[in-house]
Amino acid sequence: DAKTTQPNSMESNEEEPVHLPCNHSTISGTDYIHWYRQLPSQGPEYVIHGLTSNVNNRMASLAIAEDRKSSTLILHRATLRDAAVYYCILRRAGGTSYGKLTFGQGTILTVHP
Amino acid sequence: EPEVTQTPSHQVTQMGQEVILRCVPISNHLYFYWYRQILGQKVEFLVSFYNNEISEKSEIFDDQFSVERPDGSNFTLKIRSTKLEDSAMYFCASSNSVLNSYNEQFFGPGTRLTVL
């Protein structure tokens, strides 16, 4: 799987937007961009995924650069409950992978009241 | 909302002992996974399981590890002879598709394994 690079940590204030960046300069045309997060003492949790177009769901938005070499996870109004480690993961379509997720170190998001 | 459950939440064992970690995936899911996370480190893939057989495994998943779906609901991870370095949080996950257009994996809360 292609490599992703994320900042080690970021901070935000409650009710402010948060933009979590991810660089994936070696992404291939068939790689999907997935985001998961891990709240303290919990298992990872799916957030959002996309291929080329920006995506929105109830949790977040995913903005994908036109060249697909980077993406940004956007939390529109951070809450204390959003404090977690956020992982940007690339998954290639097809091939022999049966859904394996390859986690990096992720970005530790701290939300201040 | 359906969820993945895991038991026990914490397992303490002596080095060399066998342990079985249990998971109940979401009922209509077909793909099952085990991951582990050593304290302070990243989440690591161990194995994926589909159609009653292992579909992919990592280098970590050596002969000491095995997985089984003994009935229609449980999915287990067995470690035959535990080592100190097996101490970690073990997460079970399931999904109903591996298509990239839809591949949300649902994770359980984890079992913390402590090997003494």
Side-chain angles (χ1 to χ4, degrees), chain A residues 32 34 36 38 41-46 49 87 91-94 96-101 103-105, chain B residues 31 33 35 37 40-43 45 48 50 55-56 91 98 100-105 107-109:
Chain A
Y32 277 72
H34 292 250
Y36 279 75
Q38 187 174 20
S41 301
Q42 295 190 28
E45 174 187 37
Y46 168 83
H49 78 282
Y87 301 99
R91 287 212 52 245
R92 184 152 298 168
T96 58
S97 171
Y98 284 81
K100 175 181 79 172
L101 294 172
F103 290 82
Q105 296 294 343
Chain B
Y31 302 87
Y33 311 87
Y35 294 82
Q37 186 174 32
Q41 299 187 23
K42 61 184 181 182
V43 178
F45 168 79
S48 59
Y50 168 69
S55 46
E56 190 173 5
F91 295 107
V98 293
N100 261 293
S101 56
Y102 185 74
N103 177 227
E104 178 178 353
Q105 289 186 24
F107 284 76

mmCIF file of all heavy atoms in Angstrom, chain A residues 32 34 36 38 41-46 49 87 91-94 96-101 103-105, chain B residues 31 33 35 37 40-43 45 48 50 55-56 91 98 100-105 107-109:
data_model
loop_
_atom_site.group_PDB
_atom_site.id
_atom_site.type_symbol
_atom_site.label_atom_id
_atom_site.label_comp_id
_atom_site.label_asym_id
_atom_site.label_seq_id
_atom_site.Cartn_x
_atom_site.Cartn_y
_atom_site.Cartn_z
ATOM 1 N N TYR A 32 -8.113 4.165 -2.886
ATOM 2 C CA TYR A 32 -9.119 4.927 -2.173
ATOM 3 C C TYR A 32 -8.489 5.511 -0.900
ATOM 4 O O TYR A 32 -7.595 4.920 -0.312
ATOM 5 C CB TYR A 32 -10.287 4.036 -1.769
ATOM 6 C CG TYR A 32 -11.298 3.816 -2.856
ATOM 7 C CD1 TYR A 32 -11.006 3.003 -3.945
ATOM 8 C CD2 TYR A 32 -12.549 4.423 -2.804
ATOM 9 C CE1 TYR A 32 -11.944 2.792 -4.949
ATOM 10 C CE2 TYR A 32 -13.493 4.218 -3.798
ATOM 11 C CZ TYR A 32 -13.172 3.406 -4.865
ATOM 12 O OH TYR A 32 -14.100 3.201 -5.863
ATOM 13 N N HIS A 34 -9.106 6.397 2.870
ATOM 14 C CA HIS A 34 -9.988 6.097 4.001
ATOM 15 C C HIS A 34 -9.492 6.846 5.225
ATOM 16 O O HIS A 34 -8.284 6.982 5.445
ATOM 17 C CB HIS A 34 -9.983 4.597 4.315
ATOM 18 C CG HIS A 34 -10.621 3.750 3.263
ATOM 19 N ND1 HIS A 34 -11.820 3.106 3.454
ATOM 20 C CD2 HIS A 34 -10.227 3.442 2.013
ATOM 21 C CE1 HIS A 34 -12.135 2.429 2.368
ATOM 22 N NE2 HIS A 34 -11.185 2.614 1.468
ATOM 23 N N TYR A 36 -10.021 6.740 9.455
ATOM 24 C CA TYR A 36 -10.544 6.130 10.665
ATOM 25 C C TYR A 36 -10.067 6.973 11.840
ATOM 26 O O TYR A 36 -9.105 7.738 11.725
ATOM 27 C CB TYR A 36 -10.023 4.691 10.845
ATOM 28 C CG TYR A 36 -10.764 3.666 10.032
ATOM 29 C CD1 TYR A 36 -10.559 3.572 8.657
ATOM 30 C CD2 TYR A 36 -11.673 2.794 10.623
ATOM 31 C CE1 TYR A 36 -11.241 2.634 7.897
ATOM 32 C CE2 TYR A 36 -12.364 1.849 9.883
ATOM 33 C CZ TYR A 36 -12.143 1.781 8.523
ATOM 34 O OH TYR A 36 -12.834 0.856 7.765
ATOM 35 N N GLN A 38 -9.556 6.758 16.341
ATOM 36 C CA GLN A 38 -9.534 5.899 17.523
ATOM 37 C C GLN A 38 -9.665 6.776 18.750
ATOM 38 O O GLN A 38 -8.734 7.509 19.107
ATOM 39 C CB GLN A 38 -8.246 5.066 17.566
ATOM 40 C CG GLN A 38 -8.237 4.029 18.670
ATOM 41 C CD GLN A 38 -7.019 3.127 18.614
ATOM 42 O OE1 GLN A 38 -6.003 3.457 18.013
ATOM 43 N NE2 GLN A 38 -7.105 1.961 19.247
ATOM 44 N N SER A 41 -8.988 4.542 24.497
ATOM 45 C CA SER A 41 -9.383 3.233 25.035
ATOM 46 C C SER A 41 -10.494 2.555 24.227
ATOM 47 O O SER A 41 -11.276 1.769 24.767
ATOM 48 C CB SER A 41 -9.850 3.370 26.495
ATOM 49 O OG SER A 41 -8.811 3.919 27.273
ATOM 50 N N GLN A 42 -10.584 2.856 22.936
ATOM 51 C CA GLN A 42 -11.576 2.219 22.084
ATOM 52 C C GLN A 42 -10.920 1.670 20.819
ATOM 53 O O GLN A 42 -9.770 1.971 20.518
ATOM 54 C CB GLN A 42 -12.682 3.201 21.701
ATOM 55 C CG GLN A 42 -13.519 3.664 22.887
ATOM 56 C CD GLN A 42 -14.746 4.433 22.449
ATOM 57 O OE1 GLN A 42 -15.266 4.222 21.361
ATOM 58 N NE2 GLN A 42 -15.206 5.326 23.301
ATOM 59 N N GLY A 43 -11.667 0.857 20.097
ATOM 60 C CA GLY A 43 -11.207 0.382 18.814
ATOM 61 C C GLY A 43 -11.345 1.458 17.762
ATOM 62 O O GLY A 43 -12.087 2.424 17.939
ATOM 63 N N PRO A 44 -10.644 1.317 16.646
ATOM 64 C CA PRO A 44 -10.793 2.287 15.556
ATOM 65 C C PRO A 44 -12.232 2.353 15.068
ATOM 66 O O PRO A 44 -12.997 1.397 15.183
ATOM 67 C CB PRO A 44 -9.844 1.746 14.479
ATOM 68 C CG PRO A 44 -8.834 0.933 15.226
ATOM 69 C CD PRO A 44 -9.596 0.327 16.361
ATOM 70 N N GLU A 45 -12.563 3.498 14.503
ATOM 71 C CA GLU A 45 -13.922 3.762 14.034
ATOM 72 C C GLU A 45 -13.833 4.409 12.661
ATOM 73 O O GLU A 45 -13.071 5.368 12.466
ATOM 74 C CB GLU A 45 -14.591 4.696 15.043
ATOM 75 C CG GLU A 45 -15.949 5.212 14.669
ATOM 76 C CD GLU A 45 -16.446 6.257 15.670
ATOM 77 O OE1 GLU A 45 -15.650 7.060 16.165
ATOM 78 O OE2 GLU A 45 -17.672 6.274 15.920
ATOM 79 N N TYR A 46 -14.616 3.889 11.712
ATOM 80 C CA TYR A 46 -14.635 4.451 10.367
ATOM 81 C C TYR A 46 -15.168 5.875 10.403
ATOM 82 O O TYR A 46 -16.117 6.183 11.130
ATOM 83 C CB TYR A 46 -15.526 3.584 9.486
ATOM 84 C CG TYR A 46 -15.878 4.181 8.142
ATOM 85 C CD1 TYR A 46 -14.996 4.083 7.069
ATOM 86 C CD2 TYR A 46 -17.084 4.827 7.964
ATOM 87 C CE1 TYR A 46 -15.331 4.619 5.841
ATOM 88 C CE2 TYR A 46 -17.420 5.374 6.741
ATOM 89 C CZ TYR A 46 -16.539 5.258 5.678
ATOM 90 O OH TYR A 46 -16.873 5.800 4.465
ATOM 91 N N HIS A 49 -14.577 7.912 3.513
ATOM 92 C CA HIS A 49 -13.608 7.553 2.481
ATOM 93 C C HIS A 49 -14.022 8.163 1.147
ATOM 94 O O HIS A 49 -15.195 8.534 0.952
ATOM 95 C CB HIS A 49 -13.435 6.038 2.377
ATOM 96 C CG HIS A 49 -14.536 5.326 1.639
ATOM 97 N ND1 HIS A 49 -15.758 5.051 2.225
ATOM 98 C CD2 HIS A 49 -14.608 4.837 0.386
ATOM 99 C CE1 HIS A 49 -16.517 4.411 1.366
ATOM 100 N NE2 HIS A 49 -15.863 4.276 0.228
ATOM 101 N N TYR A 87 -6.520 8.519 11.551
ATOM 102 C CA TYR A 87 -5.663 7.779 10.633
ATOM 103 C C TYR A 87 -6.133 7.974 9.197
ATOM 104 O O TYR A 87 -7.314 7.792 8.887
ATOM 105 C CB TYR A 87 -5.711 6.284 10.939
ATOM 106 C CG TYR A 87 -5.280 5.895 12.324
ATOM 107 C CD1 TYR A 87 -6.220 5.639 13.316
ATOM 108 C CD2 TYR A 87 -3.938 5.756 12.651
ATOM 109 C CE1 TYR A 87 -5.840 5.271 14.589
ATOM 110 C CE2 TYR A 87 -3.540 5.376 13.929
ATOM 111 C CZ TYR A 87 -4.496 5.144 14.885
ATOM 112 O OH TYR A 87 -4.112 4.771 16.146
ATOM 113 N N ARG A 91 -6.215 2.453 0.368
ATOM 114 C CA ARG A 91 -6.529 1.074 0.039
ATOM 115 C C ARG A 91 -6.696 0.953 -1.469
ATOM 116 O O ARG A 91 -7.467 1.683 -2.064
ATOM 117 C CB ARG A 91 -7.801 0.616 0.757
ATOM 118 C CG ARG A 91 -7.597 0.390 2.219
ATOM 119 C CD ARG A 91 -8.472 -0.715 2.764
ATOM 120 N NE ARG A 91 -8.343 -1.916 1.977
ATOM 121 C CZ ARG A 91 -9.333 -2.436 1.259
ATOM 122 N NH1 ARG A 91 -10.508 -1.865 1.230
ATOM 123 N NH2 ARG A 91 -9.149 -3.536 0.571
ATOM 124 N N ARG A 92 -5.995 -0.025 -2.040
ATOM 125 C CA ARG A 92 -6.022 -0.192 -3.485
ATOM 126 C C ARG A 92 -7.216 -1.026 -3.893
ATOM 127 O O ARG A 92 -7.505 -2.052 -3.294
ATOM 128 C CB ARG A 92 -4.722 -0.860 -3.939
ATOM 129 C CG ARG A 92 -4.588 -0.999 -5.444
ATOM 130 C CD ARG A 92 -3.129 -0.992 -5.841
ATOM 131 N NE ARG A 92 -2.498 0.271 -5.468
ATOM 132 C CZ ARG A 92 -1.190 0.467 -5.490
ATOM 133 N NH1 ARG A 92 -0.386 -0.521 -5.838
ATOM 134 N NH2 ARG A 92 -0.684 1.622 -5.146
ATOM 135 N N ALA A 93 -7.897 -0.598 -4.920
ATOM 136 C CA ALA A 93 -9.017 -1.374 -5.446
ATOM 137 C C ALA A 93 -8.492 -2.632 -6.119
ATOM 138 O O ALA A 93 -7.421 -2.633 -6.724
ATOM 139 C CB ALA A 93 -9.801 -0.550 -6.463
ATOM 140 N N GLY A 94 -9.230 -3.728 -5.994
ATOM 141 C CA GLY A 94 -8.843 -4.970 -6.638
ATOM 142 C C GLY A 94 -7.661 -5.618 -5.942
ATOM 143 O O GLY A 94 -7.433 -5.421 -4.761
ATOM 144 N N THR A 96 -5.288 -8.639 -4.291
ATOM 145 C CA THR A 96 -5.591 -9.780 -3.444
ATOM 146 C C THR A 96 -5.893 -9.382 -2.010
ATOM 147 O O THR A 96 -6.038 -10.230 -1.146
ATOM 148 C CB THR A 96 -4.415 -10.767 -3.441
ATOM 149 O OG1 THR A 96 -3.246 -10.073 -2.991
ATOM 150 C CG2 THR A 96 -4.178 -11.322 -4.821
ATOM 151 N N SER A 97 -5.981 -8.103 -1.771
ATOM 152 C CA SER A 97 -6.251 -7.669 -0.401
ATOM 153 C C SER A 97 -7.706 -7.908 -0.067
ATOM 154 O O SER A 97 -8.603 -7.586 -0.852
ATOM 155 C CB SER A 97 -5.921 -6.184 -0.254
ATOM 156 O OG SER A 97 -6.369 -5.716 0.995
ATOM 157 N N TYR A 98 -7.960 -8.498 1.073
ATOM 158 C CA TYR A 98 -9.322 -8.746 1.511
ATOM 159 C C TYR A 98 -9.725 -7.746 2.575
ATOM 160 O O TYR A 98 -10.331 -8.091 3.571
ATOM 161 C CB TYR A 98 -9.448 -10.179 2.025
ATOM 162 C CG TYR A 98 -9.505 -11.192 0.915
ATOM 163 C CD1 TYR A 98 -8.348 -11.616 0.289
ATOM 164 C CD2 TYR A 98 -10.717 -11.688 0.475
ATOM 165 C CE1 TYR A 98 -8.401 -12.529 -0.736
ATOM 166 C CE2 TYR A 98 -10.775 -12.610 -0.551
ATOM 167 C CZ TYR A 98 -9.610 -13.023 -1.156
ATOM 168 O OH TYR A 98 -9.668 -13.938 -2.175
ATOM 169 N N GLY A 99 -9.379 -6.513 2.361
ATOM 170 C CA GLY A 99 -9.838 -5.461 3.251
ATOM 171 C C GLY A 99 -8.848 -5.062 4.320
ATOM 172 O O GLY A 99 -9.172 -4.270 5.185
ATOM 173 N N LYS A 100 -7.634 -5.606 4.267
ATOM 174 C CA LYS A 100 -6.639 -5.260 5.278
ATOM 175 C C LYS A 100 -6.455 -3.746 5.362
ATOM 176 O O LYS A 100 -6.321 -3.081 4.344
ATOM 177 C CB LYS A 100 -5.300 -5.907 4.914
ATOM 178 C CG LYS A 100 -4.155 -5.527 5.838
ATOM 179 C CD LYS A 100 -2.868 -6.194 5.402
ATOM 180 C CE LYS A 100 -2.225 -5.499 4.238
ATOM 181 N NZ LYS A 100 -0.877 -6.042 3.960
ATOM 182 N N LEU A 101 -6.456 -3.224 6.567
ATOM 183 C CA LEU A 101 -6.160 -1.814 6.794
ATOM 184 C C LEU A 101 -4.754 -1.697 7.344
ATOM 185 O O LEU A 101 -4.403 -2.381 8.306
ATOM 186 C CB LEU A 101 -7.158 -1.208 7.776
ATOM 187 C CG LEU A 101 -8.606 -1.108 7.299
ATOM 188 C CD1 LEU A 101 -9.513 -0.662 8.443
ATOM 189 C CD2 LEU A 101 -8.731 -0.139 6.129
ATOM 190 N N PHE A 103 -2.484 0.735 9.215
ATOM 191 C CA PHE A 103 -2.503 1.962 10.005
ATOM 192 C C PHE A 103 -1.100 2.534 10.138
ATOM 193 O O PHE A 103 -0.134 1.801 10.313
ATOM 194 C CB PHE A 103 -3.044 1.685 11.414
ATOM 195 C CG PHE A 103 -4.512 1.374 11.472
ATOM 196 C CD1 PHE A 103 -4.969 0.103 11.196
ATOM 197 C CD2 PHE A 103 -5.427 2.353 11.803
ATOM 198 C CE1 PHE A 103 -6.329 -0.196 11.247
ATOM 199 C CE2 PHE A 103 -6.787 2.070 11.864
ATOM 200 C CZ PHE A 103 -7.234 0.791 11.576
ATOM 201 N N GLY A 104 -1.000 3.853 10.076
ATOM 202 C CA GLY A 104 0.222 4.548 10.422
ATOM 203 C C GLY A 104 0.116 5.042 11.854
ATOM 204 O O GLY A 104 -0.689 4.524 12.639
ATOM 205 N N GLN A 105 0.926 6.049 12.191
ATOM 206 C CA GLN A 105 0.894 6.596 13.547
ATOM 207 C C GLN A 105 -0.279 7.534 13.746
ATOM 208 O O GLN A 105 -0.721 7.762 14.864
ATOM 209 C CB GLN A 105 2.200 7.334 13.848
ATOM 210 C CG GLN A 105 3.434 6.439 13.845
ATOM 211 C CD GLN A 105 3.403 5.422 14.970
ATOM 212 O OE1 GLN A 105 2.669 5.522 15.947
ATOM 213 N NE2 GLN A 105 4.212 4.379 14.838
ATOM 214 N N TYR B 31 -16.781 -10.787 6.333
ATOM 215 C CA TYR B 31 -15.333 -10.670 6.397
ATOM 216 C C TYR B 31 -14.954 -10.330 7.827
ATOM 217 O O TYR B 31 -15.534 -9.421 8.424
ATOM 218 C CB TYR B 31 -14.840 -9.590 5.435
ATOM 219 C CG TYR B 31 -15.248 -9.850 3.998
ATOM 220 C CD1 TYR B 31 -16.479 -9.403 3.518
ATOM 221 C CD2 TYR B 31 -14.416 -10.568 3.145
ATOM 222 C CE1 TYR B 31 -16.865 -9.669 2.214
ATOM 223 C CE2 TYR B 31 -14.803 -10.828 1.837
ATOM 224 C CZ TYR B 31 -16.027 -10.382 1.380
ATOM 225 O OH TYR B 31 -16.405 -10.643 0.095
ATOM 226 N N TYR B 33 -11.690 -9.890 10.835
ATOM 227 C CA TYR B 33 -10.295 -9.479 10.978
ATOM 228 C C TYR B 33 -9.877 -9.479 12.440
ATOM 229 O O TYR B 33 -10.695 -9.259 13.328
ATOM 230 C CB TYR B 33 -10.098 -8.055 10.436
ATOM 231 C CG TYR B 33 -10.685 -7.808 9.070
ATOM 232 C CD1 TYR B 33 -12.014 -7.426 8.917
ATOM 233 C CD2 TYR B 33 -9.904 -7.957 7.928
ATOM 234 C CE1 TYR B 33 -12.561 -7.207 7.672
ATOM 235 C CE2 TYR B 33 -10.446 -7.734 6.672
ATOM 236 C CZ TYR B 33 -11.775 -7.363 6.547
ATOM 237 O OH TYR B 33 -12.317 -7.149 5.299
ATOM 238 N N TYR B 35 -6.741 -7.491 14.599
ATOM 239 C CA TYR B 35 -5.645 -6.532 14.644
ATOM 240 C C TYR B 35 -5.126 -6.520 16.075
ATOM 241 O O TYR B 35 -5.825 -6.916 17.014
ATOM 242 C CB TYR B 35 -6.130 -5.113 14.301
ATOM 243 C CG TYR B 35 -6.623 -4.911 12.893
ATOM 244 C CD1 TYR B 35 -7.923 -5.265 12.527
ATOM 245 C CD2 TYR B 35 -5.804 -4.330 11.935
ATOM 246 C CE1 TYR B 35 -8.387 -5.062 11.235
ATOM 247 C CE2 TYR B 35 -6.253 -4.119 10.638
ATOM 248 C CZ TYR B 35 -7.552 -4.486 10.295
ATOM 249 O OH TYR B 35 -8.001 -4.272 9.019
ATOM 250 N N GLN B 37 -2.668 -4.006 18.947
ATOM 251 C CA GLN B 37 -2.012 -2.730 19.207
ATOM 252 C C GLN B 37 -1.231 -2.855 20.493
ATOM 253 O O GLN B 37 -1.814 -2.911 21.592
ATOM 254 C CB GLN B 37 -3.041 -1.600 19.288
ATOM 255 C CG GLN B 37 -2.430 -0.213 19.419
ATOM 256 C CD GLN B 37 -3.472 0.884 19.353
ATOM 257 O OE1 GLN B 37 -4.619 0.707 19.773
ATOM 258 N NE2 GLN B 37 -3.100 2.032 18.812
ATOM 259 N N GLY B 40 1.076 2.052 23.122
ATOM 260 C CA GLY B 40 1.840 3.188 22.612
ATOM 261 C C GLY B 40 2.261 3.064 21.157
ATOM 262 O O GLY B 40 2.927 3.953 20.632
ATOM 263 N N GLN B 41 1.868 1.964 20.515
ATOM 264 C CA GLN B 41 2.259 1.744 19.127
ATOM 265 C C GLN B 41 1.035 1.756 18.207
ATOM 266 O O GLN B 41 -0.086 1.930 18.649
ATOM 267 C CB GLN B 41 3.048 0.447 18.996
ATOM 268 C CG GLN B 41 4.330 0.443 19.800
ATOM 269 C CD GLN B 41 5.197 -0.767 19.542
ATOM 270 O OE1 GLN B 41 5.085 -1.406 18.489
ATOM 271 N NE2 GLN B 41 6.059 -1.095 20.484
ATOM 272 N N LYS B 42 1.303 1.568 16.928
ATOM 273 C CA LYS B 42 0.206 1.655 15.969
ATOM 274 C C LYS B 42 -0.581 0.348 15.905
ATOM 275 O O LYS B 42 -0.118 -0.702 16.357
ATOM 276 C CB LYS B 42 0.744 2.020 14.587
ATOM 277 C CG LYS B 42 1.720 1.015 14.010
ATOM 278 C CD LYS B 42 2.276 1.527 12.687
ATOM 279 C CE LYS B 42 3.243 0.514 12.093
ATOM 280 N NZ LYS B 42 3.827 1.001 10.824
ATOM 281 N N VAL B 43 -1.768 0.434 15.342
ATOM 282 C CA VAL B 43 -2.608 -0.743 15.142
ATOM 283 C C VAL B 43 -2.011 -1.568 13.998
ATOM 284 O O VAL B 43 -1.701 -1.028 12.932
ATOM 285 C CB VAL B 43 -4.048 -0.312 14.794
ATOM 286 C CG1 VAL B 43 -4.923 -1.523 14.530
ATOM 287 C CG2 VAL B 43 -4.636 0.545 15.909
ATOM 288 N N PHE B 45 -2.294 -5.080 11.534
ATOM 289 C CA PHE B 45 -3.122 -6.137 10.972
ATOM 290 C C PHE B 45 -2.519 -7.501 11.304
ATOM 291 O O PHE B 45 -1.310 -7.709 11.203
ATOM 292 C CB PHE B 45 -3.213 -5.954 9.457
ATOM 293 C CG PHE B 45 -3.795 -7.116 8.714
ATOM 294 C CD1 PHE B 45 -5.164 -7.309 8.673
ATOM 295 C CD2 PHE B 45 -2.968 -8.008 8.044
ATOM 296 C CE1 PHE B 45 -5.705 -8.379 7.973
ATOM 297 C CE2 PHE B 45 -3.496 -9.071 7.342
ATOM 298 C CZ PHE B 45 -4.868 -9.271 7.305
ATOM 299 N N SER B 48 -7.036 -11.794 8.089
ATOM 300 C CA SER B 48 -8.415 -11.637 7.605
ATOM 301 C C SER B 48 -8.972 -13.015 7.294
ATOM 302 O O SER B 48 -8.222 -13.948 6.962
ATOM 303 C CB SER B 48 -8.471 -10.728 6.376
ATOM 304 O OG SER B 48 -7.683 -11.255 5.326
ATOM 305 N N TYR B 50 -12.392 -15.191 5.551
ATOM 306 C CA TYR B 50 -13.591 -15.132 4.722
ATOM 307 C C TYR B 50 -13.931 -16.528 4.242
ATOM 308 O O TYR B 50 -13.033 -17.310 3.903
ATOM 309 C CB TYR B 50 -13.365 -14.198 3.522
ATOM 310 C CG TYR B 50 -14.427 -14.286 2.460
ATOM 311 C CD1 TYR B 50 -15.718 -13.821 2.722
ATOM 312 C CD2 TYR B 50 -14.163 -14.842 1.205
ATOM 313 C CE1 TYR B 50 -16.708 -13.906 1.757
ATOM 314 C CE2 TYR B 50 -15.165 -14.936 0.243
ATOM 315 C CZ TYR B 50 -16.418 -14.455 0.523
ATOM 316 O OH TYR B 50 -17.398 -14.545 -0.430
ATOM 317 N N SER B 55 -7.841 -15.491 4.505
ATOM 318 C CA SER B 55 -7.644 -14.908 3.190
ATOM 319 C C SER B 55 -6.340 -14.127 3.100
ATOM 320 O O SER B 55 -5.751 -14.012 2.033
ATOM 321 C CB SER B 55 -8.826 -14.011 2.809
ATOM 322 O OG SER B 55 -9.180 -13.160 3.871
ATOM 323 N N GLU B 56 -5.878 -13.626 4.193
ATOM 324 C CA GLU B 56 -4.609 -12.909 4.227
ATOM 325 C C GLU B 56 -4.087 -12.885 5.666
ATOM 326 O O GLU B 56 -4.869 -12.845 6.610
ATOM 327 C CB GLU B 56 -4.805 -11.473 3.728
ATOM 328 C CG GLU B 56 -3.526 -10.696 3.489
ATOM 329 C CD GLU B 56 -3.771 -9.341 2.841
ATOM 330 O OE1 GLU B 56 -4.948 -8.954 2.658
ATOM 331 O OE2 GLU B 56 -2.778 -8.675 2.515
ATOM 332 N N PHE B 91 -7.923 -6.316 18.689
ATOM 333 C CA PHE B 91 -9.199 -5.843 18.163
ATOM 334 C C PHE B 91 -9.715 -6.794 17.101
ATOM 335 O O PHE B 91 -8.980 -7.187 16.188
ATOM 336 C CB PHE B 91 -9.059 -4.453 17.539
ATOM 337 C CG PHE B 91 -8.697 -3.370 18.507
ATOM 338 C CD1 PHE B 91 -7.425 -2.831 18.504
ATOM 339 C CD2 PHE B 91 -9.635 -2.877 19.401
ATOM 340 C CE1 PHE B 91 -7.080 -1.821 19.388
ATOM 341 C CE2 PHE B 91 -9.302 -1.871 20.294
ATOM 342 C CZ PHE B 91 -8.019 -1.341 20.287
ATOM 343 N N VAL B 98 -15.642 -6.118 0.764
ATOM 344 C CA VAL B 98 -14.255 -5.662 0.639
ATOM 345 C C VAL B 98 -14.095 -4.758 -0.565
ATOM 346 O O VAL B 98 -13.000 -4.361 -0.905
ATOM 347 C CB VAL B 98 -13.257 -6.841 0.554
ATOM 348 C CG1 VAL B 98 -13.224 -7.592 1.854
ATOM 349 C CG2 VAL B 98 -13.568 -7.750 -0.624
ATOM 350 N N ASN B 100 -13.813 -1.525 -2.531
ATOM 351 C CA ASN B 100 -13.320 -0.237 -2.073
ATOM 352 C C ASN B 100 -14.380 0.827 -2.084
ATOM 353 O O ASN B 100 -14.266 1.825 -1.383
ATOM 354 C CB ASN B 100 -12.128 0.210 -2.915
ATOM 355 C CG ASN B 100 -10.830 -0.091 -2.226
ATOM 356 O OD1 ASN B 100 -10.532 0.492 -1.189
ATOM 357 N ND2 ASN B 100 -10.093 -1.019 -2.760
ATOM 358 N N SER B 101 -15.405 0.601 -2.887
ATOM 359 C CA SER B 101 -16.474 1.588 -2.898
ATOM 360 C C SER B 101 -17.256 1.553 -1.583
ATOM 361 O O SER B 101 -17.948 2.488 -1.239
ATOM 362 C CB SER B 101 -17.422 1.330 -4.061
ATOM 363 O OG SER B 101 -17.925 0.012 -3.993
ATOM 364 N N TYR B 102 -17.135 0.450 -0.865
ATOM 365 C CA TYR B 102 -17.799 0.372 0.432
ATOM 366 C C TYR B 102 -17.073 -0.671 1.262
ATOM 367 O O TYR B 102 -17.256 -1.860 1.068
ATOM 368 C CB TYR B 102 -19.265 -0.007 0.264
ATOM 369 C CG TYR B 102 -20.015 0.010 1.567
ATOM 370 C CD1 TYR B 102 -20.366 1.217 2.169
ATOM 371 C CD2 TYR B 102 -20.354 -1.167 2.213
ATOM 372 C CE1 TYR B 102 -21.020 1.233 3.383
ATOM 373 C CE2 TYR B 102 -21.015 -1.153 3.423
ATOM 374 C CZ TYR B 102 -21.350 0.057 4.000
ATOM 375 O OH TYR B 102 -22.010 0.078 5.200
ATOM 376 N N ASN B 103 -16.209 -0.244 2.144
ATOM 377 C CA ASN B 103 -15.441 -1.193 2.939
ATOM 378 C C ASN B 103 -15.291 -0.706 4.360
ATOM 379 O O ASN B 103 -14.209 -0.687 4.907
ATOM 380 C CB ASN B 103 -14.063 -1.438 2.316
ATOM 381 C CG ASN B 103 -13.198 -2.350 3.147
ATOM 382 O OD1 ASN B 103 -12.034 -2.058 3.391
ATOM 383 N ND2 ASN B 103 -13.755 -3.441 3.611
ATOM 384 N N GLU B 104 -16.398 -0.282 4.956
ATOM 385 C CA GLU B 104 -16.308 0.147 6.335
ATOM 386 C C GLU B 104 -16.099 -1.071 7.216
ATOM 387 O O GLU B 104 -16.861 -2.039 7.160
ATOM 388 C CB GLU B 104 -17.600 0.855 6.730
ATOM 389 C CG GLU B 104 -17.638 1.305 8.181
ATOM 390 C CD GLU B 104 -18.921 2.034 8.517
ATOM 391 O OE1 GLU B 104 -19.719 2.305 7.598
ATOM 392 O OE2 GLU B 104 -19.137 2.316 9.717
ATOM 393 N N GLN B 105 -15.057 -1.024 8.008
ATOM 394 C CA GLN B 105 -14.827 -2.082 8.986
ATOM 395 C C GLN B 105 -15.313 -1.598 10.346
ATOM 396 O O GLN B 105 -15.026 -0.478 10.760
ATOM 397 C CB GLN B 105 -13.350 -2.463 9.048
ATOM 398 C CG GLN B 105 -12.893 -3.210 7.806
ATOM 399 C CD GLN B 105 -11.480 -3.734 7.901
ATOM 400 O OE1 GLN B 105 -10.948 -3.961 8.982
ATOM 401 N NE2 GLN B 105 -10.862 -3.931 6.744
ATOM 402 N N PHE B 107 -15.106 -2.145 14.289
ATOM 403 C CA PHE B 107 -14.185 -2.702 15.270
ATOM 404 C C PHE B 107 -14.878 -2.924 16.606
ATOM 405 O O PHE B 107 -15.754 -2.153 17.003
ATOM 406 C CB PHE B 107 -13.003 -1.750 15.485
ATOM 407 C CG PHE B 107 -11.996 -1.772 14.382
ATOM 408 C CD1 PHE B 107 -12.245 -1.136 13.183
ATOM 409 C CD2 PHE B 107 -10.784 -2.435 14.548
ATOM 410 C CE1 PHE B 107 -11.310 -1.157 12.155
ATOM 411 C CE2 PHE B 107 -9.831 -2.458 13.531
ATOM 412 C CZ PHE B 107 -10.101 -1.818 12.334
ATOM 413 N N GLY B 108 -14.442 -3.962 17.292
ATOM 414 C CA GLY B 108 -14.897 -4.177 18.649
ATOM 415 C C GLY B 108 -14.101 -3.332 19.629
ATOM 416 O O GLY B 108 -13.153 -2.646 19.243
ATOM 417 N N PRO B 109 -14.464 -3.410 20.915
ATOM 418 C CA PRO B 109 -13.801 -2.587 21.932
ATOM 419 C C PRO B 109 -12.426 -3.105 22.334
ATOM 420 O O PRO B 109 -11.673 -2.403 23.000
ATOM 421 C CB PRO B 109 -14.761 -2.650 23.118
ATOM 422 C CG PRO B 109 -15.442 -3.966 22.951
ATOM 423 C CD PRO B 109 -15.572 -4.185 21.475
#
